[in-house]
């Protein structure tokens, strides 16, 4: 059922009374900005492409040209996008802890600082052979497949976390700590099927946090939610995060 005036008011009250609030976001947060999600039926990237071919070390080894072409398309799309009302509402609440699975920079561009990034950032490339070379990318004119200019080996690949790769240890431990020590955990625009990130929702719930889920459709977080607000993030977040 779509969010109602009553459920929105209830969520706004929980947020107002919260002492330590975490926002855990996914691709649905940036969808109203025109950035594609992964699993939405029809227009999600994975409904047209095999995720293991595009977002895994094995896929990169098999066809690095294809992987870098896909990243170039996403990078151009993100470069054209602007933060939406949901990003801006979050930026107006610097007291919230931001944990995101998103690799775009729309939260940063909205004005959020200290973002805990679980899946890295799409704005850079690094040497896949781990020589340590990193480059920032011109998102309007992203590069294709190329070898590392520093060690000459393998290829340059985005500074994101692919399937089968470990999450950045520091970000993960900060995220676990925030999830276990908050009293309100807002889950926005994620299918909540990718682990270990999705496990933060249950961890927060088990630690006693109230779980508010904001999503256009039911998701993997629906069953854990104390309050589920179905609708678009850019319409719901400004309502429930407004102070006063
Ligand atoms: C809206 C909306 C609007 C739309 N308003 N809402 C336990 C069980 C099973 C499997 C595993 C497990 N633990 C680990 C695994 C394996 C794997 C995994 O989870 N697989 C499952 C999918 C089966 N996990 C991993 O491999 C992770 N690594 C790992 O576990 O390492 C272990 C290790 C330890 C030590 C050494 C070595 C290894 C890594 C996961 C990496 C994920 N990477 C990606 C792509 C790269 C980033 C990039 O290129 O940008 O990250 S996959 C993709 O999924 C991306 C996202 O961050 C992530 C989550 O997706 P998200 O954000 O939820 O998007 P969608 O599209 O799924 O959902 C969008 C939602 O928005 C939908 O619900 C819509 O309804 C909603 N929506 N419009 C509000 N306007």
């Amino acid at each position: 059922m779509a969010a109602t005036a009553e459920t929105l008011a209830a969520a706004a009250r929980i947020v107002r009374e919260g002492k330590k609030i975490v926002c855990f976001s996914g691709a649905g947060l940036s969808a109203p900005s025109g950035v594609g999600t992964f699993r939405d039926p029809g227009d999600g990237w994975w409904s047209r492409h095999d995720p293991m071919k595009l977002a895994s070390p094995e896929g990169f080894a098999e066809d690095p040209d294809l992987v870098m072409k896909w990243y170039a398309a996403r990078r151009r799309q993100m470069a054209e996008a602007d933060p939406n009302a949901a990003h801006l509402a979050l930026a107006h609440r610097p007291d919230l802890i931001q944990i995101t699975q998103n690799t775009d920079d729309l939260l940063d561009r909205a004005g959020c600082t200290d973002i805990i990034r679980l899946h890295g950032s799409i704005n850079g490339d690094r040497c896949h052979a781990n020589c340590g070379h990193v480059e920032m990318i011109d998102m309007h004119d992203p590069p294709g497949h190329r070898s590392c200019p520093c060690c000459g080996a393998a290829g340059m690949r985005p500074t994101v976390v692919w399937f089968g790769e470990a999450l950045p240890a520091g970000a993960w431990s900060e995220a676990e700590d925030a999830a276990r020590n908050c009293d309100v955990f807002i889950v926005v625009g994620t299918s909540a099927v990718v682990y270990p990130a999705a496990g933060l929702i249950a961890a927060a719930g088990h630690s006693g946090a109230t779980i508010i889920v904001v999503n256009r459709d039911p998701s993997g977080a629906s069953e854990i939610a104390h309050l589920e607000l179905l609708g678009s993030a850019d319409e719901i977040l400004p309502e429930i995060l407004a102070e006063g």
Side-chain angles (χ1 to χ4, degrees):
M1 195 179 74
T4 62
E6 287 74 26
T7 53
L8 287 169
R13 191 172 56 249
I14 293 166
V15 170
R16 242 185 348 262
E17 290 168 1
K19 303 256 178 297
K20 195 161 182 189
I21 306 169
V22 169
C23 177
F24 172 62
S25 54
L29 173 66
S30 297
S33 297
V35 176
T37 66
F38 297 95
R39 295 173 185 78
D40 278 324
D43 59 353
W45 291 109
W46 297 162
S47 63
R48 289 166 282 156
H49 304 280
D50 176 354
M52 294 311 284
K53 290 207 182 304
L54 297 175
S56 74
E58 295 78 13
F60 186 68
E62 190 183 309
D63 194 343
D65 275 316
L66 176 76
V67 171
M68 294 310 288
K69 276 190 184 127
W70 181 62
Y71 274 94
R74 290 180 59 210
R75 283 167 160 165
R76 281 191 212 98
Q77 188 183 62
M78 288 170 184
E80 294 301 318
D82 290 316
N84 64 56
H87 296 109
L88 296 171
L90 291 168
H92 278 112
R93 293 293 305 260
D95 54 313
L96 265 63
I97 298 173
Q98 302 294 334
I99 305 175
T100 192
Q101 300 166 88
N102 294 348
T103 59
D104 66 53
D105 65 354
L106 292 172
L107 277 172
D108 311 62
R109 282 199 265 145
C112 288
T113 52
D114 298 330
I115 302 159
I116 303 174
R117 298 188 164 280
L118 296 180
H119 293 159
S121 160
I122 204 169
N123 290 33
D125 275 352
R126 68 172 174 86
C127 174
H128 189 50
N130 284 322
C131 83
H133 182 68
V134 180
E135 290 175 1
M136 291 310 288
I137 296 305
D138 177 350
M139 297 284 282
H140 290 277
D141 187 19
H145 173 231
R146 65 210 188 282
S147 54
C148 175
C150 194
C151 71
M156 295 294 287
R157 46 86 40 108
T159 51
V160 301
V161 180
W162 282 336
F163 288 113
E165 294 182 327
L167 275 55
W172 178 245
S173 99
E174 275 186 70
E176 275 193 306
D177 185 58
R180 292 202 177 117
N181 291 293
C182 64
D183 53 2
V184 182
F185 193 86
I186 307 174
V187 182
V188 182
T190 176
S191 54
V193 297
V194 174
Y195 284 81
L200 293 172
I201 308 167
H206 289 141
S207 302
T210 302
I211 311 291
I212 300 175
V213 172
V214 177
N215 199 307
R216 209 191 44 200
D217 301 305
S219 68
S222 298
E223 285 201 358
I224 314 175
H226 296 104
L227 196 51
E228 183 173 47
L229 304 172
L230 295 184
S232 193
D234 61 330
E235 290 168 10
I236 293 181
L237 281 191
E239 291 226 26
I240 68 171
L241 294 180
E243 283 173 298

